[in-house]
PDB file of all heavy atoms in Angstrom:
ATOM      1  N   VAL A   1    -108.439 -93.795 -77.159  1.00  0.00           N
ATOM      2  CA  VAL A   1    -108.089 -93.739 -78.519  1.00  0.00           C
ATOM      3  C   VAL A   1    -108.220 -92.408 -79.145  1.00  0.00           C
ATOM      4  O   VAL A   1    -109.192 -91.632 -78.644  1.00  0.00           O
ATOM      5  CB  VAL A   1    -108.766 -94.829 -79.281  1.00  0.00           C
ATOM      6  CG1 VAL A   1    -108.563 -96.233 -78.749  1.00  0.00           C
ATOM      7  CG2 VAL A   1    -110.357 -94.515 -79.273  1.00  0.00           C
ATOM      8  N   GLU A   2    -107.486 -92.014 -80.139  1.00  0.00           N
ATOM      9  CA  GLU A   2    -107.601 -90.760 -80.826  1.00  0.00           C
ATOM     10  C   GLU A   2    -108.417 -90.837 -82.004  1.00  0.00           C
ATOM     11  O   GLU A   2    -108.104 -91.700 -82.955  1.00  0.00           O
ATOM     12  CB  GLU A   2    -106.152 -90.315 -81.168  1.00  0.00           C
ATOM     13  CG  GLU A   2    -106.090 -88.814 -81.455  1.00  0.00           C
ATOM     14  CD  GLU A   2    -106.485 -88.554 -82.994  1.00  0.00           C
ATOM     15  OE1 GLU A   2    -105.884 -89.360 -83.795  1.00  0.00           O
ATOM     16  OE2 GLU A   2    -107.097 -87.632 -83.330  1.00  0.00           O
ATOM     17  N   GLY A   3    -109.562 -90.042 -82.146  1.00  0.00           N
ATOM     18  CA  GLY A   3    -110.307 -89.985 -83.432  1.00  0.00           C
ATOM     19  C   GLY A   3    -111.465 -90.862 -83.351  1.00  0.00           C
ATOM     20  O   GLY A   3    -111.458 -91.870 -82.842  1.00  0.00           O
ATOM     21  N   ASP A   4    -112.456 -90.489 -84.222  1.00  0.00           N
ATOM     22  CA  ASP A   4    -113.684 -91.257 -84.374  1.00  0.00           C
ATOM     23  C   ASP A   4    -113.443 -92.535 -85.172  1.00  0.00           C
ATOM     24  O   ASP A   4    -114.031 -93.581 -84.882  1.00  0.00           O
ATOM     25  CB  ASP A   4    -114.688 -90.403 -85.035  1.00  0.00           C
ATOM     26  CG  ASP A   4    -115.145 -89.146 -84.224  1.00  0.00           C
ATOM     27  OD1 ASP A   4    -115.046 -89.328 -82.964  1.00  0.00           O
ATOM     28  OD2 ASP A   4    -115.628 -88.263 -84.794  1.00  0.00           O
ATOM     29  N   SER A   5    -112.551 -92.553 -86.196  1.00  0.00           N
ATOM     30  CA  SER A   5    -112.267 -93.650 -86.953  1.00  0.00           C
ATOM     31  C   SER A   5    -111.667 -94.756 -86.117  1.00  0.00           C
ATOM     32  O   SER A   5    -112.291 -95.849 -86.176  1.00  0.00           O
ATOM     33  CB  SER A   5    -111.367 -93.340 -88.079  1.00  0.00           C
ATOM     34  OG  SER A   5    -111.071 -94.362 -88.892  1.00  0.00           O
ATOM     35  N   ALA A   6    -110.578 -94.512 -85.410  1.00  0.00           N
ATOM     36  CA  ALA A   6    -109.997 -95.485 -84.565  1.00  0.00           C
ATOM     37  C   ALA A   6    -111.076 -95.989 -83.418  1.00  0.00           C
ATOM     38  O   ALA A   6    -111.062 -97.138 -83.031  1.00  0.00           O
ATOM     39  CB  ALA A   6    -108.708 -95.034 -83.939  1.00  0.00           C
ATOM     40  N   GLY A   7    -111.774 -94.883 -82.879  1.00  0.00           N
ATOM     41  CA  GLY A   7    -112.700 -95.275 -81.927  1.00  0.00           C
ATOM     42  C   GLY A   7    -113.846 -96.189 -82.296  1.00  0.00           C
ATOM     43  O   GLY A   7    -114.205 -97.110 -81.677  1.00  0.00           O
ATOM     44  N   GLY A   8    -114.266 -96.017 -83.542  1.00  0.00           N
ATOM     45  CA  GLY A   8    -115.314 -96.842 -84.199  1.00  0.00           C
ATOM     46  C   GLY A   8    -114.785 -98.311 -84.307  1.00  0.00           C
ATOM     47  O   GLY A   8    -115.433 -99.277 -83.945  1.00  0.00           O
ATOM     48  N   SER A   9    -113.529 -98.375 -84.889  1.00  0.00           N
ATOM     49  CA  SER A   9    -112.921 -99.816 -84.991  1.00  0.00           C
ATOM     50  C   SER A   9    -112.826-100.467 -83.644  1.00  0.00           C
ATOM     51  O   SER A   9    -113.117-101.651 -83.436  1.00  0.00           O
ATOM     52  CB  SER A   9    -111.667 -99.680 -85.654  1.00  0.00           C
ATOM     53  OG  SER A   9    -111.755 -99.212 -86.962  1.00  0.00           O
ATOM     54  N   ALA A  10    -112.330 -99.712 -82.647  1.00  0.00           N
ATOM     55  CA  ALA A  10    -112.061-100.332 -81.261  1.00  0.00           C
ATOM     56  C   ALA A  10    -113.377-100.648 -80.660  1.00  0.00           C
ATOM     57  O   ALA A  10    -113.443-101.771 -79.987  1.00  0.00           O
ATOM     58  CB  ALA A  10    -111.394 -99.135 -80.417  1.00  0.00           C
ATOM     59  N   LYS A  11    -114.428 -99.894 -80.845  1.00  0.00           N
ATOM     60  CA  LYS A  11    -115.717-100.284 -80.269  1.00  0.00           C
ATOM     61  C   LYS A  11    -116.215-101.603 -80.890  1.00  0.00           C
ATOM     62  O   LYS A  11    -116.839-102.399 -80.179  1.00  0.00           O
ATOM     63  CB  LYS A  11    -116.686 -99.091 -80.437  1.00  0.00           C
ATOM     64  CG  LYS A  11    -116.554 -97.932 -79.638  1.00  0.00           C
ATOM     65  CD  LYS A  11    -117.462 -96.797 -79.974  1.00  0.00           C
ATOM     66  CE  LYS A  11    -117.018 -95.541 -79.173  1.00  0.00           C
ATOM     67  NZ  LYS A  11    -118.025 -94.389 -79.562  1.00  0.00           N
ATOM     68  N   SER A  12    -116.055-101.727 -82.156  1.00  0.00           N
ATOM     69  CA  SER A  12    -116.534-102.969 -82.778  1.00  0.00           C
ATOM     70  C   SER A  12    -115.612-104.177 -82.418  1.00  0.00           C
ATOM     71  O   SER A  12    -116.171-105.290 -82.298  1.00  0.00           O
ATOM     72  CB  SER A  12    -116.437-102.801 -84.367  1.00  0.00           C
ATOM     73  OG  SER A  12    -117.285-101.777 -84.745  1.00  0.00           O
ATOM     74  N   ALA A  13    -114.344-104.025 -82.198  1.00  0.00           N
ATOM     75  CA  ALA A  13    -113.388-104.992 -81.939  1.00  0.00           C
ATOM     76  C   ALA A  13    -113.351-105.532 -80.491  1.00  0.00           C
ATOM     77  O   ALA A  13    -112.966-106.652 -80.165  1.00  0.00           O
ATOM     78  CB  ALA A  13    -111.961-104.545 -82.350  1.00  0.00           C
ATOM     79  N   ARG A  14    -113.710-104.694 -79.538  1.00  0.00           N
ATOM     80  CA  ARG A  14    -113.478-104.917 -78.059  1.00  0.00           C
ATOM     81  C   ARG A  14    -114.323-106.152 -77.645  1.00  0.00           C
ATOM     82  O   ARG A  14    -115.337-106.546 -78.172  1.00  0.00           O
ATOM     83  CB  ARG A  14    -113.908-103.708 -77.360  1.00  0.00           C
ATOM     84  CG  ARG A  14    -115.328-103.370 -77.390  1.00  0.00           C
ATOM     85  CD  ARG A  14    -115.720-101.971 -76.666  1.00  0.00           C
ATOM     86  NE  ARG A  14    -117.153-101.772 -76.881  1.00  0.00           N
ATOM     87  CZ  ARG A  14    -117.986-101.269 -75.748  1.00  0.00           C
ATOM     88  NH1 ARG A  14    -117.465-101.298 -74.619  1.00  0.00           N
ATOM     89  NH2 ARG A  14    -119.160-101.016 -76.146  1.00  0.00           N
ATOM     90  N   ASN A  15    -113.869-106.555 -76.362  1.00  0.00           N
ATOM     91  CA  ASN A  15    -114.753-107.469 -75.549  1.00  0.00           C
ATOM     92  C   ASN A  15    -115.642-106.529 -74.721  1.00  0.00           C
ATOM     93  O   ASN A  15    -115.194-105.824 -73.794  1.00  0.00           O
ATOM     94  CB  ASN A  15    -113.869-108.316 -74.701  1.00  0.00           C
ATOM     95  CG  ASN A  15    -114.666-109.028 -73.727  1.00  0.00           C
ATOM     96  OD1 ASN A  15    -115.867-108.981 -73.440  1.00  0.00           O
ATOM     97  ND2 ASN A  15    -113.976-110.142 -73.118  1.00  0.00           N
ATOM     98  N   ARG A  16    -116.935-106.413 -75.085  1.00  0.00           N
ATOM     99  CA  ARG A  16    -117.810-105.521 -74.372  1.00  0.00           C
ATOM    100  C   ARG A  16    -117.973-105.649 -72.921  1.00  0.00           C
ATOM    101  O   ARG A  16    -118.438-104.730 -72.184  1.00  0.00           O
ATOM    102  CB  ARG A  16    -119.287-105.557 -75.108  1.00  0.00           C
ATOM    103  CG  ARG A  16    -119.209-105.050 -76.600  1.00  0.00           C
ATOM    104  CD  ARG A  16    -120.526-105.241 -77.142  1.00  0.00           C
ATOM    105  NE  ARG A  16    -120.533-104.620 -78.521  1.00  0.00           N
ATOM    106  CZ  ARG A  16    -120.876-103.362 -78.842  1.00  0.00           C
ATOM    107  NH1 ARG A  16    -121.297-102.433 -77.803  1.00  0.00           N
ATOM    108  NH2 ARG A  16    -120.808-102.944 -80.073  1.00  0.00           N
ATOM    109  N   ARG A  17    -117.770-106.944 -72.440  1.00  0.00           N
ATOM    110  CA  ARG A  17    -117.961-107.137 -71.046  1.00  0.00           C
ATOM    111  C   ARG A  17    -116.857-106.510 -70.213  1.00  0.00           C
ATOM    112  O   ARG A  17    -117.213-105.954 -69.078  1.00  0.00           O
ATOM    113  CB  ARG A  17    -117.874-108.630 -70.864  1.00  0.00           C
ATOM    114  CG  ARG A  17    -118.501-109.095 -69.418  1.00  0.00           C
ATOM    115  CD  ARG A  17    -118.489-110.448 -69.212  1.00  0.00           C
ATOM    116  NE  ARG A  17    -117.157-110.941 -68.863  1.00  0.00           N
ATOM    117  CZ  ARG A  17    -116.597-110.918 -67.659  1.00  0.00           C
ATOM    118  NH1 ARG A  17    -117.288-110.416 -66.612  1.00  0.00           N
ATOM    119  NH2 ARG A  17    -115.320-111.312 -67.436  1.00  0.00           N
ATOM    120  N   THR A  18    -115.626-106.442 -70.652  1.00  0.00           N
ATOM    121  CA  THR A  18    -114.504-105.903 -69.843  1.00  0.00           C
ATOM    122  C   THR A  18    -113.786-104.806 -70.281  1.00  0.00           C
ATOM    123  O   THR A  18    -112.970-104.142 -69.722  1.00  0.00           O
ATOM    124  CB  THR A  18    -113.520-107.031 -69.414  1.00  0.00           C
ATOM    125  OG1 THR A  18    -112.943-107.456 -70.716  1.00  0.00           O
ATOM    126  CG2 THR A  18    -114.136-108.261 -68.733  1.00  0.00           C
ATOM    127  N   GLN A  19    -114.096-104.287 -71.626  1.00  0.00           N
ATOM    128  CA  GLN A  19    -113.226-103.294 -72.288  1.00  0.00           C
ATOM    129  C   GLN A  19    -114.147-102.082 -72.643  1.00  0.00           C
ATOM    130  O   GLN A  19    -115.012-102.265 -73.432  1.00  0.00           O
ATOM    131  CB  GLN A  19    -112.532-103.879 -73.504  1.00  0.00           C
ATOM    132  CG  GLN A  19    -111.463-105.049 -73.131  1.00  0.00           C
ATOM    133  CD  GLN A  19    -110.816-105.520 -74.531  1.00  0.00           C
ATOM    134  OE1 GLN A  19    -111.467-105.671 -75.521  1.00  0.00           O
ATOM    135  NE2 GLN A  19    -109.580-105.995 -74.310  1.00  0.00           N
ATOM    136  N   ALA A  20    -113.676-100.952 -72.068  1.00  0.00           N
ATOM    137  CA  ALA A  20    -114.414 -99.707 -72.448  1.00  0.00           C
ATOM    138  C   ALA A  20    -113.450 -98.974 -73.405  1.00  0.00           C
ATOM    139  O   ALA A  20    -112.189 -99.126 -73.487  1.00  0.00           O
ATOM    140  CB  ALA A  20    -114.578 -98.885 -71.061  1.00  0.00           C
ATOM    141  N   ILE A  21    -114.031 -98.107 -74.248  1.00  0.00           N
ATOM    142  CA  ILE A  21    -113.428 -97.334 -75.234  1.00  0.00           C
ATOM    143  C   ILE A  21    -113.608 -95.856 -75.032  1.00  0.00           C
ATOM    144  O   ILE A  21    -114.941 -95.454 -74.975  1.00  0.00           O
ATOM    145  CB  ILE A  21    -113.726 -97.690 -76.708  1.00  0.00           C
ATOM    146  CG1 ILE A  21    -113.642 -99.189 -76.914  1.00  0.00           C
ATOM    147  CG2 ILE A  21    -113.001 -96.910 -77.752  1.00  0.00           C
ATOM    148  CD1 ILE A  21    -112.190 -99.624 -76.746  1.00  0.00           C
ATOM    149  N   LEU A  22    -112.639 -95.067 -74.951  1.00  0.00           N
ATOM    150  CA  LEU A  22    -112.853 -93.603 -74.673  1.00  0.00           C
ATOM    151  C   LEU A  22    -112.109 -92.862 -75.742  1.00  0.00           C
ATOM    152  O   LEU A  22    -110.904 -92.624 -75.657  1.00  0.00           O
ATOM    153  CB  LEU A  22    -112.275 -93.256 -73.254  1.00  0.00           C
ATOM    154  CG  LEU A  22    -112.386 -91.705 -72.852  1.00  0.00           C
ATOM    155  CD1 LEU A  22    -113.775 -91.158 -72.993  1.00  0.00           C
ATOM    156  CD2 LEU A  22    -111.674 -91.430 -71.536  1.00  0.00           C
ATOM    157  N   PRO A  23    -112.824 -92.376 -76.766  1.00  0.00           N
ATOM    158  CA  PRO A  23    -112.232 -91.612 -77.818  1.00  0.00           C
ATOM    159  C   PRO A  23    -112.030 -90.157 -77.347  1.00  0.00           C
ATOM    160  O   PRO A  23    -112.748 -89.545 -76.663  1.00  0.00           O
ATOM    161  CB  PRO A  23    -113.255 -91.627 -78.979  1.00  0.00           C
ATOM    162  CG  PRO A  23    -114.361 -92.694 -78.596  1.00  0.00           C
ATOM    163  CD  PRO A  23    -114.315 -92.718 -77.036  1.00  0.00           C
ATOM    164  N   ILE A  24    -110.792 -89.647 -77.806  1.00  0.00           N
ATOM    165  CA  ILE A  24    -110.526 -88.228 -77.536  1.00  0.00           C
ATOM    166  C   ILE A  24    -110.319 -87.580 -78.903  1.00  0.00           C
ATOM    167  O   ILE A  24    -109.941 -88.290 -79.849  1.00  0.00           O
ATOM    168  CB  ILE A  24    -109.305 -88.010 -76.607  1.00  0.00           C
ATOM    169  CG1 ILE A  24    -108.070 -88.677 -77.202  1.00  0.00           C
ATOM    170  CG2 ILE A  24    -109.597 -88.609 -75.211  1.00  0.00           C
ATOM    171  CD1 ILE A  24    -106.810 -88.353 -76.404  1.00  0.00           C
ATOM    172  N   ARG A  25    -110.547 -86.349 -78.942  1.00  0.00           N
ATOM    173  CA  ARG A  25    -110.464 -85.638 -80.312  1.00  0.00           C
ATOM    174  C   ARG A  25    -109.084 -84.794 -80.291  1.00  0.00           C
ATOM    175  O   ARG A  25    -109.013 -83.884 -79.569  1.00  0.00           O
ATOM    176  CB  ARG A  25    -111.635 -84.697 -80.423  1.00  0.00           C
ATOM    177  CG  ARG A  25    -111.722 -84.041 -81.794  1.00  0.00           C
ATOM    178  CD  ARG A  25    -112.991 -83.393 -81.946  1.00  0.00           C
ATOM    179  NE  ARG A  25    -114.169 -84.315 -81.946  1.00  0.00           N
ATOM    180  CZ  ARG A  25    -115.413 -83.914 -81.884  1.00  0.00           C
ATOM    181  NH1 ARG A  25    -115.742 -82.614 -81.937  1.00  0.00           N
ATOM    182  NH2 ARG A  25    -116.397 -84.832 -81.855  1.00  0.00           N
ATOM    183  N   GLY A  26    -108.166 -85.315 -81.206  1.00  0.00           N
ATOM    184  CA  GLY A  26    -106.979 -84.545 -81.293  1.00  0.00           C
ATOM    185  C   GLY A  26    -106.038 -84.633 -80.107  1.00  0.00           C
ATOM    186  O   GLY A  26    -106.236 -85.475 -79.237  1.00  0.00           O
ATOM    187  N   LYS A  27    -105.162 -83.615 -80.034  1.00  0.00           N
ATOM    188  CA  LYS A  27    -104.167 -83.478 -78.981  1.00  0.00           C
ATOM    189  C   LYS A  27    -104.864 -82.933 -77.784  1.00  0.00           C
ATOM    190  O   LYS A  27    -105.422 -81.769 -77.875  1.00  0.00           O
ATOM    191  CB  LYS A  27    -102.899 -82.823 -79.397  1.00  0.00           C
ATOM    192  CG  LYS A  27    -102.231 -83.558 -80.466  1.00  0.00           C
ATOM    193  CD  LYS A  27    -100.962 -82.690 -80.876  1.00  0.00           C
ATOM    194  CE  LYS A  27    -100.151 -83.529 -81.964  1.00  0.00           C
ATOM    195  NZ  LYS A  27    -100.845 -83.512 -83.236  1.00  0.00           N
ATOM    196  N   ILE A  28    -104.744 -83.445 -76.538  1.00  0.00           N
ATOM    197  CA  ILE A  28    -105.338 -82.674 -75.459  1.00  0.00           C
ATOM    198  C   ILE A  28    -104.440 -81.593 -75.037  1.00  0.00           C
ATOM    199  O   ILE A  28    -103.378 -81.403 -75.428  1.00  0.00           O
ATOM    200  CB  ILE A  28    -105.426 -83.731 -74.185  1.00  0.00           C
ATOM    201  CG1 ILE A  28    -104.068 -84.182 -73.576  1.00  0.00           C
ATOM    202  CG2 ILE A  28    -106.148 -85.065 -74.518  1.00  0.00           C
ATOM    203  CD1 ILE A  28    -104.135 -84.679 -72.248  1.00  0.00           C
ATOM    204  N   LEU A  29    -104.954 -80.855 -74.056  1.00  0.00           N
ATOM    205  CA  LEU A  29    -104.257 -79.712 -73.493  1.00  0.00           C
ATOM    206  C   LEU A  29    -102.877 -80.067 -72.969  1.00  0.00           C
ATOM    207  O   LEU A  29    -102.704 -81.049 -72.245  1.00  0.00           O
ATOM    208  CB  LEU A  29    -105.039 -79.067 -72.513  1.00  0.00           C
ATOM    209  CG  LEU A  29    -104.535 -77.699 -71.850  1.00  0.00           C
ATOM    210  CD1 LEU A  29    -104.561 -76.519 -72.960  1.00  0.00           C
ATOM    211  CD2 LEU A  29    -105.385 -77.217 -70.555  1.00  0.00           C
ATOM    212  N   ASN A  30    -101.850 -79.205 -73.242  1.00  0.00           N
ATOM    213  CA  ASN A  30    -100.585 -79.543 -72.573  1.00  0.00           C
ATOM    214  C   ASN A  30    -100.658 -78.853 -71.117  1.00  0.00           C
ATOM    215  O   ASN A  30    -100.507 -77.681 -70.893  1.00  0.00           O
ATOM    216  CB  ASN A  30     -99.456 -78.643 -73.325  1.00  0.00           C
ATOM    217  CG  ASN A  30     -98.014 -78.818 -72.779  1.00  0.00           C
ATOM    218  OD1 ASN A  30     -97.925 -79.410 -71.742  1.00  0.00           O
ATOM    219  ND2 ASN A  30     -97.089 -78.178 -73.368  1.00  0.00           N
ATOM    220  N   VAL A  31    -100.787 -79.730 -70.124  1.00  0.00           N
ATOM    221  CA  VAL A  31    -101.096 -79.257 -68.843  1.00  0.00           C
ATOM    222  C   VAL A  31     -99.775 -78.692 -68.112  1.00  0.00           C
ATOM    223  O   VAL A  31     -99.866 -78.046 -67.145  1.00  0.00           O
ATOM    224  CB  VAL A  31    -101.584 -80.453 -67.938  1.00  0.00           C
ATOM    225  CG1 VAL A  31    -102.855 -80.928 -68.532  1.00  0.00           C
ATOM    226  CG2 VAL A  31    -100.623 -81.664 -67.892  1.00  0.00           C
ATOM    227  N   GLU A  32     -98.649 -78.998 -68.777  1.00  0.00           N
ATOM    228  CA  GLU A  32     -97.435 -78.475 -68.188  1.00  0.00           C
ATOM    229  C   GLU A  32     -97.298 -76.957 -68.260  1.00  0.00           C
ATOM    230  O   GLU A  32     -96.660 -76.223 -67.489  1.00  0.00           O
ATOM    231  CB  GLU A  32     -96.275 -79.076 -68.990  1.00  0.00           C
ATOM    232  CG  GLU A  32     -94.923 -78.811 -68.269  1.00  0.00           C
ATOM    233  CD  GLU A  32     -94.631 -79.444 -66.994  1.00  0.00           C
ATOM    234  OE1 GLU A  32     -95.376 -80.356 -66.753  1.00  0.00           O
ATOM    235  OE2 GLU A  32     -93.708 -79.102 -66.237  1.00  0.00           O
ATOM    236  N   LYS A  33     -97.990 -76.292 -69.234  1.00  0.00           N
ATOM    237  CA  LYS A  33     -98.081 -74.849 -69.420  1.00  0.00           C
ATOM    238  C   LYS A  33     -99.372 -74.278 -69.192  1.00  0.00           C
ATOM    239  O   LYS A  33     -99.512 -73.056 -69.427  1.00  0.00           O
ATOM    240  CB  LYS A  33     -97.625 -74.573 -70.881  1.00  0.00           C
ATOM    241  CG  LYS A  33     -96.128 -75.067 -71.186  1.00  0.00           C
ATOM    242  CD  LYS A  33     -95.655 -74.474 -72.390  1.00  0.00           C
ATOM    243  CE  LYS A  33     -96.310 -75.108 -73.677  1.00  0.00           C
ATOM    244  NZ  LYS A  33     -95.710 -74.758 -74.948  1.00  0.00           N
ATOM    245  N   ALA A  34    -100.406 -74.920 -68.608  1.00  0.00           N
ATOM    246  CA  ALA A  34    -101.638 -74.368 -68.393  1.00  0.00           C
ATOM    247  C   ALA A  34    -101.928 -74.333 -66.973  1.00  0.00           C
ATOM    248  O   ALA A  34    -101.611 -75.106 -66.044  1.00  0.00           O
ATOM    249  CB  ALA A  34    -102.704 -75.333 -69.085  1.00  0.00           C
ATOM    250  N   THR A  35    -102.969 -73.246 -66.520  1.00  0.00           N
ATOM    251  CA  THR A  35    -103.420 -73.169 -65.155  1.00  0.00           C
ATOM    252  C   THR A  35    -104.513 -74.133 -64.999  1.00  0.00           C
ATOM    253  O   THR A  35    -105.207 -74.596 -65.932  1.00  0.00           O
ATOM    254  CB  THR A  35    -103.794 -71.769 -64.937  1.00  0.00           C
ATOM    255  OG1 THR A  35    -104.850 -71.428 -65.915  1.00  0.00           O
ATOM    256  CG2 THR A  35    -102.687 -70.789 -64.999  1.00  0.00           C
ATOM    257  N   ILE A  36    -104.767 -74.411 -63.716  1.00  0.00           N
ATOM    258  CA  ILE A  36    -105.827 -75.526 -63.420  1.00  0.00           C
ATOM    259  C   ILE A  36    -107.127 -75.168 -63.923  1.00  0.00           C
ATOM    260  O   ILE A  36    -107.917 -76.110 -64.280  1.00  0.00           O
ATOM    261  CB  ILE A  36    -105.741 -75.857 -61.926  1.00  0.00           C
ATOM    262  CG1 ILE A  36    -106.490 -77.104 -61.672  1.00  0.00           C
ATOM    263  CG2 ILE A  36    -106.379 -74.655 -61.094  1.00  0.00           C
ATOM    264  CD1 ILE A  36    -106.313 -77.619 -60.262  1.00  0.00           C
ATOM    265  N   ASP A  37    -107.560 -73.980 -63.955  1.00  0.00           N
ATOM    266  CA  ASP A  37    -108.808 -73.590 -64.373  1.00  0.00           C
ATOM    267  C   ASP A  37    -108.855 -73.904 -65.853  1.00  0.00           C
ATOM    268  O   ASP A  37    -110.024 -74.401 -66.434  1.00  0.00           O
ATOM    269  CB  ASP A  37    -109.219 -72.088 -64.213  1.00  0.00           C
ATOM    270  CG  ASP A  37    -108.091 -71.094 -64.656  1.00  0.00           C
ATOM    271  OD1 ASP A  37    -107.037 -71.486 -64.828  1.00  0.00           O
ATOM    272  OD2 ASP A  37    -108.570 -69.999 -65.075  1.00  0.00           O
ATOM    273  N   LYS A  38    -107.869 -73.747 -66.656  1.00  0.00           N
ATOM    274  CA  LYS A  38    -107.903 -74.082 -68.090  1.00  0.00           C
ATOM    275  C   LYS A  38    -107.922 -75.608 -68.291  1.00  0.00           C
ATOM    276  O   LYS A  38    -108.460 -76.128 -69.142  1.00  0.00           O
ATOM    277  CB  LYS A  38    -106.727 -73.459 -68.832  1.00  0.00           C
ATOM    278  CG  LYS A  38    -106.807 -71.929 -69.016  1.00  0.00           C
ATOM    279  CD  LYS A  38    -105.662 -71.429 -69.799  1.00  0.00           C
ATOM    280  CE  LYS A  38    -105.818 -69.875 -69.916  1.00  0.00           C
ATOM    281  NZ  LYS A  38    -104.598 -69.343 -70.734  1.00  0.00           N
ATOM    282  N   VAL A  39    -107.253 -76.261 -67.304  1.00  0.00           N
ATOM    283  CA  VAL A  39    -107.129 -77.758 -67.446  1.00  0.00           C
ATOM    284  C   VAL A  39    -108.597 -78.326 -67.204  1.00  0.00           C
ATOM    285  O   VAL A  39    -109.035 -79.203 -67.891  1.00  0.00           O
ATOM    286  CB  VAL A  39    -106.168 -78.302 -66.385  1.00  0.00           C
ATOM    287  CG1 VAL A  39    -106.292 -79.746 -66.255  1.00  0.00           C
ATOM    288  CG2 VAL A  39    -104.743 -77.935 -66.688  1.00  0.00           C
ATOM    289  N   LEU A  40    -109.236 -77.708 -66.139  1.00  0.00           N
ATOM    290  CA  LEU A  40    -110.595 -78.244 -65.798  1.00  0.00           C
ATOM    291  C   LEU A  40    -111.606 -77.858 -66.879  1.00  0.00           C
ATOM    292  O   LEU A  40    -112.750 -78.483 -66.916  1.00  0.00           O
ATOM    293  CB  LEU A  40    -110.986 -77.787 -64.492  1.00  0.00           C
ATOM    294  CG  LEU A  40    -110.211 -78.393 -63.358  1.00  0.00           C
ATOM    295  CD1 LEU A  40    -110.537 -77.683 -61.984  1.00  0.00           C
ATOM    296  CD2 LEU A  40    -110.559 -79.901 -63.234  1.00  0.00           C
ATOM    297  N   ALA A  41    -111.292 -76.854 -67.603  1.00  0.00           N
ATOM    298  CA  ALA A  41    -112.326 -76.485 -68.594  1.00  0.00           C
ATOM    299  C   ALA A  41    -112.073 -77.164 -69.907  1.00  0.00           C
ATOM    300  O   ALA A  41    -113.003 -77.137 -70.799  1.00  0.00           O
ATOM    301  CB  ALA A  41    -112.104 -74.885 -68.939  1.00  0.00           C
ATOM    302  N   ASN A  42    -111.076 -78.034 -70.079  1.00  0.00           N
ATOM    303  CA  ASN A  42    -110.761 -78.796 -71.339  1.00  0.00           C
ATOM    304  C   ASN A  42    -111.688 -79.954 -71.310  1.00  0.00           C
ATOM    305  O   ASN A  42    -111.775 -80.794 -70.391  1.00  0.00           O
ATOM    306  CB  ASN A  42    -109.396 -79.261 -71.304  1.00  0.00           C
ATOM    307  CG  ASN A  42    -109.018 -80.127 -72.535  1.00  0.00           C
ATOM    308  OD1 ASN A  42    -109.187 -81.216 -72.612  1.00  0.00           O
ATOM    309  ND2 ASN A  42    -108.574 -79.315 -73.565  1.00  0.00           N
ATOM    310  N   ALA A  43    -112.496 -80.119 -72.422  1.00  0.00           N
ATOM    311  CA  ALA A  43    -113.549 -81.086 -72.543  1.00  0.00           C
ATOM    312  C   ALA A  43    -113.021 -82.528 -72.447  1.00  0.00           C
ATOM    313  O   ALA A  43    -113.576 -83.416 -71.776  1.00  0.00           O
ATOM    314  CB  ALA A  43    -114.260 -80.982 -73.801  1.00  0.00           C
TER     315      ALA A  43
END
C-alpha cells in the first residue's frame, strides 16, 4: 500500500493471521532506467 494513511487503515482492517501489510512511501524507483546498484540502494 502507498502511504502511511492507507497503511494505517489497512493494518486496522486486515485479518492479522493471514494478511501482511507493507506500506511504501511514494513512487518507487523506475527500474527500467536504473542500474542495479541504484535499484539495490532503493529503500
Side-chain angles (χ1 to χ4, degrees):
V1 299
E2 191 274 317
D4 294 333
S5 177
S9 294
K11 288 176 185 177
S12 300
R14 67 182 173 134
N15 176 343
R16 292 175 177 270
R17 196 180 75 81
T18 59
Q19 293 179 329
I21 307 297
L22 177 59
I24 60 173
R25 188 169 298 173
K27 297 180 176 70
I28 72 161
L29 182 70
N30 179 359
V31 300
E32 189 71 15
K33 297 192 291 187
T35 56
I36 195 171
D37 54 332
K38 290 183 179 178
V39 171
L40 288 173
N42 183 269

